[in-house]
Amino acid sequence: MADLLEMRNIHKVYPNGTKANQGVSFSVRQGEIHALVGENGAGKSTLMKILFGLESPTEGDIFYRGDKVVLKSPKDAIKYEIGMVHQHFMLVPSFTVAQNIVLGSEPTKGVLSDHQKAIAETQRLIQEFGLKVDPNAKVENISVGLKQRVEILKVLYRGARLIILDEPTAVLTPQETDELFQSLKKLVSQGYTIIFITHKLNEVMEISDRITVLRAGKTISTLITSETSKEEISRLMVGRDVLLRVEKQPAKPKETVLSLDEVSYVSETGKQVLNDISFQVRAGEIFGIAGVEGNGQTELIEVITGFRKNFKGRITFLSQDLAGKSIEEIRNIGIGHIPEDRQTRGACLTSSIKENLILDLYRDKSFRRGLFLNQKKINEHADKLIQEFDIRTQSRDTLAGALSGGNIQKIVVAREISKNPKLLIAAQPTRGVDIGSIEFIHKEIVKKRDEGAAVLLVSAELSEVMSLSDRIGVLYNGELAVILENSESLTEEEIGFYMLGVKKQEKRASAT
Amino acid sequence: MNQRSAVYLDLLGILLAIVAALVIGIFVIFLVSDEPVAALQALLIEPFTTLFSFGSILNRMIPLVFTGLAIVVVFQSGVFSMGAEGQLYIGALTGALVAVYLPEMSPWIHIPLVVLASLIGGALYGFLPGVLKAYFKADEIVSTLMFNFIATLFVSYLLNYVFKAPDSGGFARLPFVQESAKLGPIFDGFPTHAGFLLALLAALAVYLLLYKTKTGYELRTVGKNPLFAEYGGIKPKKVLILSIAISGALAGLGGTVEVIGLHGTLKDNFSAGLGFDGIIVSLLARNHPIAVLLSAFFYAYLQVGGQIMQANSDVPRDLAIIIQALLVIFVSSQAIFAYLKQRKLMSSRGGERVAK
Amino acid sequence: MLSSLWEQTINLTLFVILLRMMPPILLGALGGLMTDRAGVINIGIEGLMLVSAFTSVAAGSATGSWIIGMAAGVLAAMIVSYAMAFFSLKMNVDIIVTGFAVNIFGAGITVLMMSILYDSHGSYVPENPVSIPNVVIPFLDQIPFIGKLLSGHNLMVWVSILAVVFCYYLLYHTPYGTHLRATGEEPGAARSLGIPVVRIQYSALVWSGFFAGLAGSYLSMGMTSMFVRDMTAGTGFLALAVVIFGNRNPFGILAGSAVFALATAMTMIIETTPGNVIPSQFIKMVPYIVTIVALVVYAIRKHRKTLFT
């Protein structure tokens, strides 16, 4: 079979210097399902954005049916029969299924829209591809799985022959995933070509013909699915990056600080995002949660910290039940929380550094003088933390938004660590941060552990989890696949198997 | 960029906006007037030439400070309330009732009672749309606009049918307030009444509240980044309702000060848009309570200047209104300010690069 | 007193007044609707109406043609609304602030022009007024009941009702309207399909100028034959309330406008009835209260939807 599409030696350097793609080569054959796999940040999304005309490559060429093409916008991509189903749906909720499908290129009768024809066209597509959905249903009233079908139909309506699906199963239930796979197989049998981006190796094995593995912006290998194994792909995906060495003594764990018992949580969209999770974090240890993003990490932190209520099971902090406690109460009983997104949640970019640093303390009586806040003390506190945490700034009055990512993160870390929490929850504590700041933040976290705090670390960077944690739990698909003691003999490969759903420990066996 | 240089850039931008609006105004004067110099002199200089006109500026400024502060509080909290007008009427009503119907007593007791009544009235009227927004997600822009009409009509009804002064004829009003509830002139012979001092006090109080207290920290934090505030344990709903209630109290006090300082009674339709003027005042002041004093003064100066211009030349005072509209637009043109800041950032960043 | 109201209901006087009162509210609301559905709600309808009202009566009486007057008024309002679009979409002025500024501007510029052109600060009554004509339907106007029901209404009454149908077709039955609604609801989705979101928002604001322009013309050349300063007296805000009240669709807005016009008509009848005891303020208040109730009801309904899907 001839190559339908070839991307040759693609480089992409963003203006801020991030090298997302460094010489990726990738080709797709007519009529295959080609899985594109790789860890977070391996460069998959960038590559697909380039293919769909949303980004332009710094270097490299794209060939479609043997001809060199330049894709400047999605319009160009559509011209070459390339369509993309985004991870976040692009649908208008109050419109019907048919209206969404034809939106932007509606059939007309004179100057008026031809609704009948739109419905008929939709029906025809539904028939042809077996993607069952009611053309007259309003999109706001249909399930996530059906919404995805609408997205696929939208792409087909525009005449795409090559369809990119960006992590299509992330939001789907198992049944919906099965149905999706049936449809994809049918599409391929009709001559369509599919690029399937995912982390889940079970799905890769089930659905794909070939697999391309990306790591750190480079193509590692292209494999034929029937000739490989999950283990092999996993090994290729999880790189042998240089381990970040963190100087630390063996942990001396003491009493249990945080305990989760059979915690489950169903999201607003009805998906079971956390399933029966149990683990303990003890004083003086770092418990790391590894896993590909989107496997329930965000929700796990949010149920512990009080952002999401209505979970099932029990969460206890030093013998206090956390259910029903407000965010404020949870912050006040000795839990520090470095949130995963410093831009929107962890810091207020339009406030000064010192105002960012008193987020809890402004409530504290010792920071008040009569009716007013004690400015002198606030200033001293800010200066002290700027010094201690090496926040590089002209003054405490500088706006947080004017600092670099690493320094903003140091503000967050300084605030959460300086309150002397008994439990520190650190989510993606070094994401997008320069090397110097990473080392500094890691040291601070270890220091806190040695002072007797319990630390719950959540990170999509496997090397970070491995270099910091004393014990490691792996989240996969909302379940805690395994809990492992961290030791010299534990390999990234081993954890990779659990992260990608290749292996799963039998239930309960490991619940400490 | 630190807070201070951001403030300077903002200030520079606002000055540019004022100059631009004035230049267009002057251009229009030259276009339409046969005596442009006289008109300009009347508009820009004469307000300062007599004690009376200067005093009028200060008198005009008083309610604008109150409604401006009312808007400052909600805008800083990220609430788009347009309800100052209605809150002003309700506060004026409750304050006026206490001022008229309580017996004569010591002003040191009477005036505080009047003030308290107006604060409560205005606050409660702000509380309503706050609750609707917090618990029913009812858009506050539309609801407060509606509440404005309801308040104006309600007060009008009471003045026409329930509390109408027998001698008030076609223009309905309350009986005159008790002597002990009146705010006299600041000092004898000066036209400005003591409400001016209350306005200064209110600006100081709002400044302290917003920048020096726990509550102010909560209000501003929610206004700047509600997700960050929520993460810090601040309750956005509480802040929403509180901010609009405080705003209502300030607007209400503004209404009452007009009653006991300027008119001596509550008149039907006495405000004619003071609550909306507060929005302009606050926008000009970049939502800063102390700057509100300046912008309210400037606004009042334009109005008095416009009046003198209308009396002494062939240019009507409505020119001043057009200048105000242009000011609002220019001062709010984020693109211009973003451009200024971008340039500043670029130049400082450029410096860093060279250093590397 | 109630009997007089009843009498005027029976002999259709109430209905006739209602229809007289309705066009400015209805047209203003349709203008508001177009912007609201495109996600750039225009609260400056009031100012646009004033600009058009003054321009219409000035151009109309100067040329002796109501058509030229109306065209001039509509054009003026469209120019101002285009400037609004420029400032809000290009200069990033908040759309609420822009609308607010247009209201002030409209009030100022009309009186300024009035005093420059006609040396008056309060009102301008042209010596040779022109009016948008009334539509007398031949023969039908001879029939007692039906004649009064259908004949003799101002042309703008029919235009405004036709405008409802026009907006309905435009919004729901043309690609442009679909794109406009998609832009207001999910700009990201619209953009991803190549719909020019900003251009559509520009056009929506200019539509609002068009409809507010018609409304303004009617105020000064139909409902009255003069210009009075601030003669809109809150009609623009009322129109905004009608958009909410009418659940953001053209026919809902027609119903809402009728209700609001009814309240105004009843107020007028009651105020002019000797020995009246019902305070007109309460009747005037009803539409606003109902709007707040509607706002809450719609908000709850929408909230439920997002919760359960």
Short mmCIF file of all heavy atoms in Angstrom, two decimals, chain A residues 207-226:
data_model
loop_
_atom_site.label_atom_id
_atom_site.label_comp_id
_atom_site.label_asym_id
_atom_site.label_seq_id
_atom_site.Cartn_x
_atom_site.Cartn_y
_atom_site.Cartn_z
N ILE A 207 -7.09 -1.91 18.32
CA ILE A 207 -7.66 -1.21 17.18
C ILE A 207 -6.67 -0.93 16.05
O ILE A 207 -7.06 -0.86 14.89
CB ILE A 207 -8.31 0.11 17.67
CG1 ILE A 207 -9.11 0.80 16.54
CG2 ILE A 207 -7.28 1.09 18.21
CD1 ILE A 207 -10.49 0.32 16.45
N SER A 208 -5.37 -0.80 16.36
CA SER A 208 -4.50 -0.22 15.34
C SER A 208 -3.88 -1.27 14.42
O SER A 208 -3.79 -2.46 14.75
CB SER A 208 -3.38 0.58 16.00
OG SER A 208 -2.47 -0.28 16.62
N ASP A 209 -3.44 -0.80 13.24
CA ASP A 209 -2.67 -1.64 12.33
C ASP A 209 -1.18 -1.42 12.54
O ASP A 209 -0.40 -2.34 12.51
CB ASP A 209 -3.04 -1.31 10.88
CG ASP A 209 -4.50 -1.56 10.62
OD1 ASP A 209 -4.95 -2.69 10.89
OD2 ASP A 209 -5.20 -0.64 10.18
N ARG A 210 -0.84 -0.13 12.69
CA ARG A 210 0.56 0.19 12.94
C ARG A 210 0.64 1.20 14.07
O ARG A 210 -0.34 1.88 14.39
CB ARG A 210 1.22 0.77 11.68
CG ARG A 210 1.40 -0.29 10.60
CD ARG A 210 2.41 0.18 9.57
NE ARG A 210 2.03 1.48 9.01
CZ ARG A 210 2.89 2.32 8.44
NH1 ARG A 210 4.16 2.00 8.36
NH2 ARG A 210 2.47 3.46 7.94
N ILE A 211 1.81 1.31 14.63
CA ILE A 211 1.99 2.19 15.79
C ILE A 211 3.26 3.01 15.60
O ILE A 211 4.31 2.46 15.24
CB ILE A 211 2.16 1.36 17.09
CG1 ILE A 211 0.94 0.47 17.30
CG2 ILE A 211 2.37 2.28 18.30
CD1 ILE A 211 1.21 -0.68 18.24
N THR A 212 3.14 4.32 15.84
CA THR A 212 4.36 5.11 15.87
C THR A 212 4.55 5.63 17.30
O THR A 212 3.60 6.15 17.89
CB THR A 212 4.29 6.28 14.88
OG1 THR A 212 4.31 5.75 13.56
CG2 THR A 212 5.47 7.23 15.06
N VAL A 213 5.74 5.43 17.83
CA VAL A 213 6.02 5.87 19.20
C VAL A 213 6.85 7.14 19.16
O VAL A 213 7.88 7.19 18.49
CB VAL A 213 6.79 4.77 19.98
CG1 VAL A 213 7.04 5.21 21.42
CG2 VAL A 213 6.03 3.46 19.94
N LEU A 214 6.39 8.14 19.86
CA LEU A 214 7.14 9.38 19.98
C LEU A 214 7.67 9.50 21.40
O LEU A 214 7.01 9.10 22.35
CB LEU A 214 6.27 10.61 19.70
CG LEU A 214 5.70 10.83 18.31
CD1 LEU A 214 5.07 12.22 18.24
CD2 LEU A 214 6.76 10.69 17.25
N ARG A 215 8.86 10.05 21.51
CA ARG A 215 9.36 10.34 22.86
C ARG A 215 10.24 11.57 22.77
O ARG A 215 11.10 11.66 21.90
CB ARG A 215 10.15 9.16 23.41
CG ARG A 215 10.42 9.30 24.89
CD ARG A 215 11.07 8.07 25.46
NE ARG A 215 12.45 7.94 25.02
CZ ARG A 215 13.04 6.79 24.72
NH1 ARG A 215 12.37 5.67 24.79
NH2 ARG A 215 14.30 6.76 24.36
N ALA A 216 9.97 12.50 23.66
CA ALA A 216 10.76 13.73 23.73
C ALA A 216 10.91 14.40 22.37
O ALA A 216 12.00 14.82 21.99
CB ALA A 216 12.13 13.44 24.35
N GLY A 217 9.81 14.47 21.64
CA GLY A 217 9.82 15.21 20.38
C GLY A 217 10.46 14.48 19.21
O GLY A 217 10.68 15.07 18.16
N LYS A 218 10.78 13.19 19.40
CA LYS A 218 11.41 12.45 18.31
C LYS A 218 10.64 11.17 18.03
O LYS A 218 9.99 10.62 18.91
CB LYS A 218 12.85 12.08 18.68
CG LYS A 218 13.74 13.27 18.86
CD LYS A 218 15.18 12.82 19.05
CE LYS A 218 16.09 14.01 19.23
NZ LYS A 218 16.59 14.15 20.59
N THR A 219 10.73 10.71 16.77
CA THR A 219 10.14 9.42 16.45
C THR A 219 11.08 8.34 16.97
O THR A 219 12.27 8.33 16.67
CB THR A 219 10.02 9.23 14.93
OG1 THR A 219 9.42 10.41 14.40
CG2 THR A 219 9.17 8.03 14.60
N ILE A 220 10.55 7.42 17.76
CA ILE A 220 11.38 6.35 18.29
C ILE A 220 11.32 5.16 17.37
O ILE A 220 12.34 4.55 17.03
CB ILE A 220 10.94 5.95 19.71
CG1 ILE A 220 11.08 7.14 20.66
CG2 ILE A 220 11.73 4.76 20.23
CD1 ILE A 220 12.48 7.69 20.76
N SER A 221 10.09 4.84 16.95
CA SER A 221 9.96 3.66 16.11
C SER A 221 8.56 3.59 15.52
O SER A 221 7.61 4.16 16.08
CB SER A 221 10.23 2.42 16.95
OG SER A 221 10.08 1.28 16.16
N THR A 222 8.42 2.93 14.37
CA THR A 222 7.10 2.61 13.87
C THR A 222 7.02 1.09 13.79
O THR A 222 7.91 0.43 13.25
CB THR A 222 6.86 3.23 12.48
OG1 THR A 222 6.89 4.65 12.63
CG2 THR A 222 5.51 2.83 11.94
N LEU A 223 5.96 0.55 14.39
CA LEU A 223 5.85 -0.90 14.54
C LEU A 223 4.57 -1.39 13.90
O LEU A 223 3.60 -0.66 13.77
CB LEU A 223 5.81 -1.27 16.02
CG LEU A 223 6.89 -0.68 16.91
CD1 LEU A 223 6.38 -0.57 18.33
CD2 LEU A 223 8.12 -1.56 16.84
N ILE A 224 4.58 -2.67 13.52
CA ILE A 224 3.35 -3.29 13.06
C ILE A 224 2.70 -3.95 14.26
O ILE A 224 3.35 -4.71 14.99
CB ILE A 224 3.64 -4.31 11.96
CG1 ILE A 224 4.20 -3.53 10.74
CG2 ILE A 224 2.38 -5.08 11.57
CD1 ILE A 224 4.80 -4.43 9.71
N THR A 225 1.45 -3.62 14.50
CA THR A 225 0.81 -4.02 15.75
C THR A 225 0.85 -5.52 15.97
O THR A 225 1.14 -5.99 17.07
CB THR A 225 -0.66 -3.54 15.76
OG1 THR A 225 -0.67 -2.16 15.42
CG2 THR A 225 -1.29 -3.73 17.13
N SER A 226 0.62 -6.27 14.91
CA SER A 226 0.53 -7.71 15.09
C SER A 226 1.90 -8.34 15.40
O SER A 226 1.98 -9.48 15.81
CB SER A 226 -0.06 -8.35 13.83
OG SER A 226 0.74 -7.98 12.71
#
